[in-house]
Amino acid sequence: MKNTNKKNSLGSLKKIIKEQKQARNAEKKITLTVSAGTCGQARGSMEVIDFLNKTIKQKKLEDRIQVKVTGCHGFCEAEPNIIIQPDDIFYQHVKPKDSKDIIEKTALNNEIIDRLLYTDPSTKEKAKRGNDISFYTKQKRLVLGDNVLIDPTDINDYFSIGGYSSLVKTLENLTPEQVIDTVKSSGIRGRGGAGFPTGAKWEFTRKAKADVKYIICNADEGDPGAYMDRSLMEGNPHRVLEGMIIGAYAIGASEGTIYIRDEYPLALQNITLALQQARDFGILGKNILGSGFSLEINIVKGAGAFVCGEETALIASIEGKVGEPRQRPPFPAVEGLWRKPTNINNVETWGNIPLIIEKGADWYSQIGTEKSKGTKIFSLVGKINNTGLVEVPMGITLREIIFDIGGGIPKDKKFKAVQTGGPSGGCLPEEKLDLPIDYESLTKAGSIMGSGGMIVMDENTCMVDVAKYFLNFLRDESCGKCLSCREGTQRMWEIVTKISEGKGEEGDLALLEELAHAVKNASMCGLGQTAANPVLSTLRYFRDEYEAHVIDKKCPAGVCKDLIKYTILEDKCTGCMACIKPCPVNAISGELKKVHTLDENKCIRCGACYEACNFDAIKIE
């Protein structure tokens, strides 16, 4: 569609949306929908797309088959994947060489290619359609669901699923106060970590007196293993923009900022394009759609500082200052960016707003629990069969996510723990698998919701090592402004490191616990206040592992290098030489079909030989 900057009214945009929806419904072509978010591209989706397009062109099938390039479909373990519409055929791990078969057999002749079907790790059954795959059946994909329907670089595709209808409804029929009341009644809470009620936050900013107000989208997703916001920005950037524009209208903001980390090149590319497209249609800028409301949104790139996920540190970074938190109050709603009232929400929160306006507060508030409404997106990673992004109703249990959606633990190993809430979250044991996921339940159990990271651990995970890993991350990311966080995280890391090296002493655990509480209670911002969670939760649920390290000088999981040794079992070694090749220090020697030997003095305990052995001939003790 041609550039229509400043010419569209509310009425003309409604007409455009209607026309695009009709065009989608009238589409007769077979559509090959390819996931091409960052994870898909990393596993070769762009090559698959090229081969599909070339095959279609060579066979002159342009009038019958089309390729739609979309963002992430959520099922990262299955990348690259293709959904063939209108029959919802789901193929996983697609390679360029599969293109010809997909087009000739499935698209043209409805023949299923068995080798490309998903196989359930528990039942070993194959699933033909996306809706039959266990990864998707228990999800409620309200925010992420449209990723599979649209090309994120085409605003018309967003129109074709009703995109920007909520904005039209807002500007045409609702006062700012009515929008805020709707958001408050929905019960949605901020998805960035703390879970503060979104409507109340908007109301505070609305009531603040100032000549200028700001909104900010926090896309500075910094938790290791978390990529929910990135995928939404990559796959459906206009949904985020629509939510921001509605929010700006509600609080009276005239300027907005998307603070996005520079490590997200595809998300940055797609949101930049979406902003320009919105301007071209008169959806951004002065006198939006003839409503009298004006808003401009710009982009600020973050440098990857974890602490800048905290609101006041983020504001300082936008202003060109060092990203350090400041004491609150005053809160950003009263005195934020450039000392003006500012509302900050994260990507997922903004992405929920168009749905709430479209379907109503009552509809949204029926989803979830009494105090935690709606859905939450988690990045399910670690020792899990089905890695990916899952969107589930609040109140679902950890067991349902890990075993029903996630498919359980690879190689039938035993589940040990799951960490929720990112580096500042807590590690919950098997006894907590039936815990409902909501803000209050997780906090009571010693963890947090956070932005949505969920890392699964199996029997071979050492919880002391886990605590050490996250403490190392947190001490490095601490801005250093307050002593309790700066010195406390460093000292906790030193104690846990000493324990992992077999140098722990009587009294270390008591000191570690006391120090963790001091850091939690005395730190100024959320980073320091939650930095003790990895320590406190692992001490609470896995104290016996700490005691084994301190008292017995053993690592029960066989992870901590200073407390283990590798031994080759003579009765099991076949002399296959598989363990010799990967050893980086030549610690293993032997001849073909003869028992090998391992030199303990050379061994660096890297585990390469253990992973390579197919006969369980290497023992960790």
Side-chain angles (χ1 to χ4, degrees):
M1 184 167 290
K2 293 181 180 179
N3 185 314
T4 53
N5 187 27
K6 300 181 183 178
K7 294 181 180 179
N8 282 322
S9 63
L10 289 167
S12 63
L13 184 59
K14 281 199 292 187
K15 183 180 179 182
I16 292 169
I17 294 170
K18 182 179 179 181
E19 290 171 349
Q20 292 299 328
K21 290 173 74 173
Q22 289 174 340
R24 173 179 283 269
N25 292 333
E27 181 61 67
K28 300 297 184 183
K29 290 183 181 180
I30 296 168
T31 302
L32 310 179
T33 304
V34 186
S35 60
T38 294
C39 48
Q41 292 190 23
R43 299 183 81 171
S45 64
M46 299 312 292
E47 290 84 355
V48 172
I49 290 165
D50 287 342
F51 270 74
L52 287 171
N53 282 322
K54 287 177 182 177
T55 304
I56 291 170
K57 186 176 181 180
Q58 287 170 358
K59 295 181 177 296
K60 298 180 180 180
L61 296 170
E62 293 93 336
D63 60 333
R64 297 181 61 186
I65 303 173
Q66 64 180 346
V67 176
K68 185 180 286 291
V69 181
T70 67
C72 175
H73 296 173
F75 198 1
C76 300
E77 177 60 33
E79 296 284 4
N81 66 70
I82 291 180
I83 302 173
I84 304 171
Q85 299 293 6
D87 295 327
D88 192 38
I89 304 301
F90 186 97
Y91 287 151
Q92 66 163 355
H93 301 154
V94 178
K95 296 178 174 57
K97 65 181 181 182
D98 297 318
S99 300
K100 184 178 179 182
D101 281 350
I102 289 171
I103 291 170
E104 291 183 350
K105 294 182 179 180
T106 305
L108 296 178
N109 294 300
N110 296 317
E111 181 183 339
I112 299 300
I113 304 170
D114 192 70
R115 71 176 187 276
L116 298 178
L117 293 178
Y118 168 78
T119 302
D120 189 284
S122 301
T123 65
K124 307 305 178 185
E125 295 179 356
K126 292 182 180 291
K128 185 168 71 171
R129 292 179 173 83
N131 289 332
D132 298 329
I133 294 175
S134 57
F135 179 79
Y136 290 115
T137 51
K138 277 202 173 181
Q139 293 193 49
K140 195 174 186 67
R141 295 169 63 80
L142 302 182
V143 179
L144 283 179
D146 289 338
N147 275 25
V148 304
L149 300 177
I150 62 170
D151 176 350
T153 66
D154 185 358
I155 192 173
N156 286 311
D157 240 15
Y158 186 59
F159 290 149
S160 74
I161 60 168
Y164 287 111
S165 295
S166 293
L167 176 61
V168 171
K169 178 181 178 180
T170 297
L171 298 180
E172 197 170 48
N173 301 316
L174 302 176
T175 65
E177 290 76 15
Q178 287 174 320
V179 174
I180 291 174
D181 285 344
T182 300
V183 175
K184 286 176 66 178
S185 299
S186 74
I188 184 173
R189 296 166 66 171
R191 299 301 195 244
F196 191 83
T198 302
K201 200 175 189 180
W202 287 21
E203 189 171 51
F204 293 148
T205 316
R206 174 75 187 174
K207 291 180 176 179
K209 304 297 182 182
D211 55 336
V212 177
K213 295 179 183 178
Y214 300 101
I215 59 165
I216 295 174
C217 174
N218 180 356
D220 190 56
E221 190 173 46
D223 292 2
Y227 51 100
M228 302 77 60
D229 293 349
R230 185 197 77 199
S231 292
L232 186 55
M233 296 283 272
E234 290 176 356
N236 200 349
H238 283 287
R239 182 181 295 283
V240 180
L241 288 186
E242 186 175 10
M244 290 182 69
I245 299 167
I246 293 170
Y249 169 79
I251 70 171
S254 57
E255 295 183 37
T257 297
I258 298 172
Y259 186 84
I260 183 169
R261 54 179 42 221
D262 198 33
E263 293 97 325
Y264 284 179
L266 183 58
L268 185 59
Q269 172 185 306
N270 287 356
I271 195 67
T272 301
L273 178 60
L275 283 169
Q276 186 56 55
Q277 291 174 341
R279 293 187 191 103
D280 290 345
F281 274 86
I283 295 170
L284 273 179
K286 293 183 179 179
N287 191 22
I288 292 173
L289 302 172
S291 66
F293 168 61
S294 301
L295 174 70
E296 188 50 79
I297 296 176
N298 63 82
I299 292 173
V300 173
K301 293 184 283 188
F306 181 67
V307 74
C308 284
E310 196 277 339
E311 291 186 345
T312 59
L314 184 153
I315 288 170
S317 180
I318 292 175
E319 292 175 341
K321 302 172 185 174
V322 174
E324 291 180 343
R326 63 164 170 77
Q327 199 73 43
R328 299 183 296 177
F331 292 93
V334 176
E335 189 175 305
L337 185 63
W338 310 117
R339 306 181 72 85
K340 300 291 185 180
T342 303
N343 183 85
I344 304 176
N345 288 120
N346 86 320
V347 172
E348 187 181 345
T349 310
W350 290 121
N352 272 280
I353 300 304
L355 289 167
I356 293 171
I357 298 299
E358 176 193 356
K359 299 190 176 183
D362 289 343
W363 167 82
Y364 192 85
S365 64
Q366 295 303 308
I367 304 166
T369 66
E370 181 181 355
K371 295 182 179 180
S372 298
K373 303 296 186 182
T375 61
K376 180 72 188 79
I377 304 172
F378 293 94
S379 61
L380 185 61
V381 297
K383 302 298 181 64
I384 191 81
N385 279 309
N386 297 337
T387 58
L389 295 177
V390 302
E391 184 177 357
V392 291
M394 294 281 198
I396 194 172
T397 65
L398 288 168
R399 186 185 302 277
E400 288 175 288
I401 291 183
I402 294 167
F403 289 94
D404 295 343
I405 297 174
I409 316 302
K411 300 179 181 178
D412 295 322
K413 291 191 175 182
K414 184 177 173 59
F415 168 86
K416 187 170 192 177
V418 58
Q419 189 199 37
T420 69
S424 302
C427 299
L428 304 177
E430 186 176 16
E431 66 193 69
K432 296 294 181 181
L433 277 174
D434 293 312
L435 184 79
I437 297 175
D438 58 56
Y439 292 97
E440 286 72 27
S441 297
L442 288 174
T443 301
K444 185 177 180 180
S447 189
I448 58 175
M449 182 79 71
S451 61
M454 188 174 287
I455 303 173
V456 179
M457 307 168 200
D458 68 8
E459 61 192 73
N460 297 129
T461 304
C462 171
M463 304 313 295
V464 176
D465 186 64
V466 167
K468 182 175 72 171
Y469 170 83
F470 285 113
L471 283 171
N472 186 49
F473 176 86
L474 291 164
R475 72 177 182 128
D476 186 57
E477 292 293 340
S478 172
C479 73
K481 187 172 184 177
C482 57
L483 181 138
S484 56
C485 180
R486 181 183 70 242
E487 300 299 330
T489 53
Q490 173 67 25
R491 184 68 182 121
M492 283 193 293
W493 175 80
E494 290 173 355
I495 294 172
V496 173
T497 298
K498 185 175 75 167
I499 292 171
S500 72
E501 293 174 347
K503 301 173 184 176
E505 303 172 8
E506 185 179 353
D508 277 349
L509 299 189
L511 175 61
L512 182 61
E513 197 162 13
E514 182 181 2
L515 182 58
H517 283 293
V519 173
K520 181 177 181 178
N521 295 329
S523 295
M524 184 177 67
C525 85
L527 189 155
Q529 291 164 9
T530 58
N533 282 341
V535 168
L536 291 174
S537 64
T538 50
L539 279 172
R540 177 178 174 180
Y541 297 117
F542 303 96
R543 197 178 193 93
D544 57 330
E545 278 199 44
Y546 280 89
E547 291 173 345
H549 284 70
V550 173
I551 299 170
D552 302 327
K553 307 302 179 185
K554 295 284 187 181
C555 176
V559 172
C560 297
K561 293 181 179 180
D562 293 286
L563 300 179
I564 61 173
K565 68 176 182 177
Y566 288 82
T567 304
I568 294 178
L569 303 176
E570 294 185 6
D571 60 329
K572 290 189 175 183
C573 180
T574 63
C576 69
M577 303 189 75
C579 61
I580 294 179
K581 296 176 183 177
C583 181
V585 292
N586 298 318
I588 302 176
S589 58
E591 298 178 19
L592 185 63
K593 297 184 179 181
K594 292 185 178 181
V595 175
H596 299 339
T597 58
L598 190 152
D599 188 339
E600 277 290 319
N601 294 321
K602 289 184 178 180
C603 180
I604 59 172
R605 300 164 183 84
C606 66
C609 59
Y610 181 80
E611 294 295 329
C613 182
N614 295 315
F615 301 98
D616 296 323
I618 297 179
K619 181 181 178 181
I620 304 175
E621 54 184 1

